[in-house]
């Protein structure tokens, strides 16, 4: 569980153990200020932070605002964290216009 993971991490990296010893809500507040790319890296580096209801998910939910989120995880989505990271990256990506057509031009953005 969490205690075994903290023990394993403390033997490998004392600073990671110090981070995990903080209250989850405090960790989520810290993560609010990280760029999306750093949150993606954290989800890959630490299973405990990526778990359902973890600090990364909490930070992403606070950024997104709960009002527009569906009540349940959409079918096919592996986790809320994955969905929220994808939505955040999509919102921050520059919009590109796609144009095509020989006789009937169409523009999509």
């Amino acid at each position: 569980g969490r205690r075994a993971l903290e023990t394993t991490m403390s033997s490998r990296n004392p600073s990671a153990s110090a981070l995990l010893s903080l209250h989850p809500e405090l960790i989520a507040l810290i993560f609010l200020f990280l760029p999306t790319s750093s949150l993606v890296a954290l989800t890959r580096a630490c299973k405990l932070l990526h778990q359902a209801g973890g600090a990364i998910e909490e930070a992403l939910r606070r950024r997104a605002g709960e009002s527009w989120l569906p009540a349940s995880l959409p079918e096919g989505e592996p986790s809320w964290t994955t969905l929220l990271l994808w939505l955040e990256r999509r919102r921050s990506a520059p919009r590109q216009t796609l144009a095509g057509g020989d006789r009937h031009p169409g523009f999509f953005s």
Side-chain angles (χ1 to χ4, degrees):
R2 180 181 173 135
R3 178 64 54 199
L5 184 58
E6 286 177 0
T7 303
T8 301
M9 290 187 74
S10 65
S11 63
R12 291 184 190 163
N13 187 347
S15 61
S17 179
L19 175 66
L20 293 174
S21 70
L22 297 174
H23 194 278
E25 289 182 10
L26 180 58
I27 297 170
L29 286 173
I30 293 167
F31 288 171
L32 277 172
F33 298 97
L34 292 177
T36 305
S37 59
S38 294
L39 293 176
V40 170
L42 280 169
T43 63
R44 294 178 180 158
C46 182
K47 291 179 186 177
L48 185 61
L49 294 175
H50 188 239
Q51 73 184 9
I56 294 174
E57 180 182 324
E58 178 63 27
L60 290 167
R61 285 179 175 275
R62 288 182 185 199
R63 283 187 192 179
E66 294 284 338
S67 60
W68 66 271
L69 293 175
S72 61
L73 188 64
E75 186 177 332
E77 290 297 334
S79 71
W80 281 107
T81 302
T82 303
L83 174 64
L84 291 164
L85 282 168
W86 180 80
L87 290 170
E88 192 164 293
R89 291 189 81 152
R90 184 173 172 225
R91 275 195 316 253
S92 66
R95 295 194 66 117
Q96 298 179 356
T97 300
L98 174 66
D102 181 30
R103 293 186 180 90
H104 304 285
F107 297 93
F108 305 94
S109 60

